[in-house]
Amino acid sequence: FTTRGYLLIYEFDRIADLFRLEYSLKTEGDPLSISNCIGKLKSNQNYSLFFVQSKDFEDKAYREHKGSLWKLFRVEASSKDTYSVTYLKSFFGVRTGSIPQGIFYRNGLVAENIDNDDGDELLVSLFPNFYALKFDTNEDSFSPILWIPFVYSNSAVVYDFNGNGINEFGISNWDGLHFYELNVKAKLLTPSFLDGWLDSTGKVSLNWGKVENADKYEIFELSQNGNLN
């Protein structure tokens, strides 16, 4: 994004060994308010670009300025050198820039997986509110799954710090950095290796890699009729 509000997407040309402009878009809101990130709605999909931008609105009947809205958009490739821009959601309460005391408002956007379901959530920090948005494939839209007030953060630190298989996310509140974790069941990984052999007595032995946080392992036998026992 440029300071004049243009979204410019470049593609690398391996033959010419340089980047070539393949798409441009002039956004309609405040060019200095844009925050953006990339993420995947589903792991088997291509990355999408998400951006949030403030935009003034007015009372159409009286043509009076009524305030500003945050607008959230998704940019995705629809075909070669062609992109589509989809409006997703609006938020009230735009605060950008700084106050006379020199304190700047903090706004930002991050896409990370925090609930262990397939696909990323959008972590939207719009001073003084923080939202976690989850994509609903049935409704083809984002819905909030978490709201935290009194947040002063332009980003989020996302990582599985305690090693339980669920990403925590850290954001700044008025009194410091706080970490949160959604109450979801951790998904276990597949064993890193599996080996098996049959000895001369007909005994089958199996050996596999240990999976962290696994309480037990289930072993299935494939019968001659194709059923798992």
Side-chain angles (χ1 to χ4, degrees):
F1 287 92
T2 70
T3 55
R4 293 188 177 183
Y6 282 91
L7 165 63
L8 305 177
I9 298 179
Y10 289 82
E11 183 178 38
F12 185 69
D13 186 331
R14 296 183 181 277
I15 298 177
D17 196 30
L18 52 78
F19 283 92
R20 297 187 185 278
L21 178 67
E22 66 171 353
Y23 179 79
S24 65
L25 170 71
K26 178 64 171 70
T27 60
E28 298 180 354
D30 178 6
L32 301 181
S33 68
I34 296 175
S35 295
N36 66 92
C37 68
I38 61 172
K40 288 187 175 184
L41 299 184
K42 293 295 178 182
S43 60
N44 61 351
Q45 296 180 355
N46 293 328
Y47 281 100
S48 294
L49 169 70
F50 300 93
F51 72 93
V52 63
Q53 181 181 34
S54 68
K55 187 178 187 301
D56 293 341
F57 68 95
E58 63 181 20
D59 187 322
K60 294 184 178 179
Y62 300 96
R63 294 186 178 180
E64 294 180 352
H65 178 261
K66 292 297 183 181
S68 300
L69 283 173
W70 286 110
K71 289 185 172 291
L72 178 64
F73 298 90
R74 176 192 179 193
V75 182
E76 60 180 328
S78 52
S79 61
K80 180 177 173 56
D81 297 340
T82 305
Y83 293 82
S84 62
V85 181
T86 305
Y87 161 76
L88 299 176
K89 193 176 289 292
S90 292
F91 304 85
F92 280 102
V94 174
R95 294 178 176 87
T96 59
S98 63
I99 62 176
Q101 289 78 9
I103 300 176
F104 285 82
Y105 295 113
R106 295 289 185 262
N107 304 289
L109 189 62
V110 176
E112 291 284 355
N113 190 320
I114 61 170
D115 68 351
N116 265 7
D117 284 343
D118 188 31
D120 293 331
E121 283 68 55
L122 286 182
L123 308 183
V124 187
S125 182
L126 303 174
F127 179 87
N129 297 298
F130 176 89
Y131 308 90
L133 306 180
K134 182 177 181 61
F135 186 72
D136 187 332
T137 54
N138 296 324
E139 299 293 334
D140 194 32
S141 63
F142 279 93
S143 300
I145 59 174
L146 179 68
W147 167 64
I148 302 176
F150 311 118
V151 172
Y152 187 69
S153 189
N154 60 358
S155 186
V157 181
V158 183
Y159 188 73
D160 182 16
F161 291 98
N162 59 9
N164 67 346
I166 305 170
N167 282 335
E168 296 82 50
F169 60 93
I171 51 178
S172 295
N173 296 75
W174 298 108
D175 58 347
L177 181 65
H178 292 256
F179 284 87
Y180 303 85
E181 179 182 290
L182 294 184
N183 185 21
V184 295
K185 185 177 180 180
K187 292 184 178 179
L188 300 178
L189 300 175
T190 302
S192 56
F193 69 89
L194 173 63
D195 191 15
W197 58 91
L198 178 67
D199 63 20
S200 59
T201 64
K203 179 181 178 181
V204 176
S205 298
L206 298 175
N207 185 25
W208 61 84
K210 181 180 178 181
V211 176
E212 188 174 4
N213 299 317
D215 297 323
K216 65 178 181 179
Y217 301 89
E218 294 184 353
I219 299 175
F220 295 89
E221 178 186 13
L222 181 64
S223 63
Q224 291 182 350
N225 60 10
N227 294 326
L228 289 175
N229 301 320

